[in-house]
């Protein structure tokens, strides 16, 4: 499975001790790309639990919808297909 996620950050975020969760004693970094508190995990990854390994998905953060992506068409006319076998 893969996910198409919109990111607008263009550089790193330096973490420090103030980023440690006081209750859990750790820092959880979001790797699914869906967190509203990015780069920190906010539990939004639960939305991915039923993804199929052979599919690609596009998540819309504004209405929390999800679509299966079967192809991307680029501005130069080339395309990339993600159809399941
Ligand atoms: S890993 Fe992305 S919200 Fe938890």
């Amino acid at each position: 499975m893969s996910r198409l996620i919109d990111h607008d950050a263009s550089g790193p975020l330096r973490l420090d001790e103030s980023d440690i969760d006081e209750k859990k004693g750790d820092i959880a970094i979001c790797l699914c790309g869906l967190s509203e508190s990015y780069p920190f995990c906010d539990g939004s990854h639960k939305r991915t639990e039923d993804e199929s390994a052979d599919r690609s998905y596009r998540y819309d953060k504004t209405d929390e919808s999800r679509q299966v992506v079967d192809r991307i068409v680029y501005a130069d006319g080339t395309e990339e297909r993600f159809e399941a076998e």
Side-chain angles (χ1 to χ4, degrees):
M1 124 289 304
S2 65
R3 241 165 269 121
L4 304 173
I5 305 291
D6 293 328
H7 284 284
D8 56 8
S10 58
L13 172 66
R14 190 174 304 273
L15 302 178
D16 61 31
E17 292 178 4
S18 69
D19 295 311
I20 298 173
D21 185 309
E22 292 180 11
K23 292 179 184 170
K24 297 179 180 173
D26 63 8
I27 300 172
I29 301 298
C30 173
L31 295 182
C32 76
L34 298 176
S35 175
E36 293 297 324
S37 301
Y38 196 83
F40 304 106
C41 172
D42 69 356
S44 295
H45 57 265
K46 293 178 183 132
R47 294 174 60 197
T48 70
E49 290 177 348
D50 64 343
E51 288 181 347
S52 297
D54 58 353
R55 289 286 191 181
S56 294
Y57 299 90
R58 172 82 164 79
Y59 286 81
D60 186 331
K61 290 182 179 179
T62 59
D63 65 5
E64 299 194 358
S65 64
R66 178 179 76 183
Q67 296 174 313
V68 174
V69 176
D70 64 359
R71 69 183 177 131
I72 295 174
V73 179
Y74 296 98
D76 67 1
T78 59
E79 66 180 57
E80 191 173 348
R81 293 195 172 268
F82 297 96
E83 293 177 81
E85 297 293 318

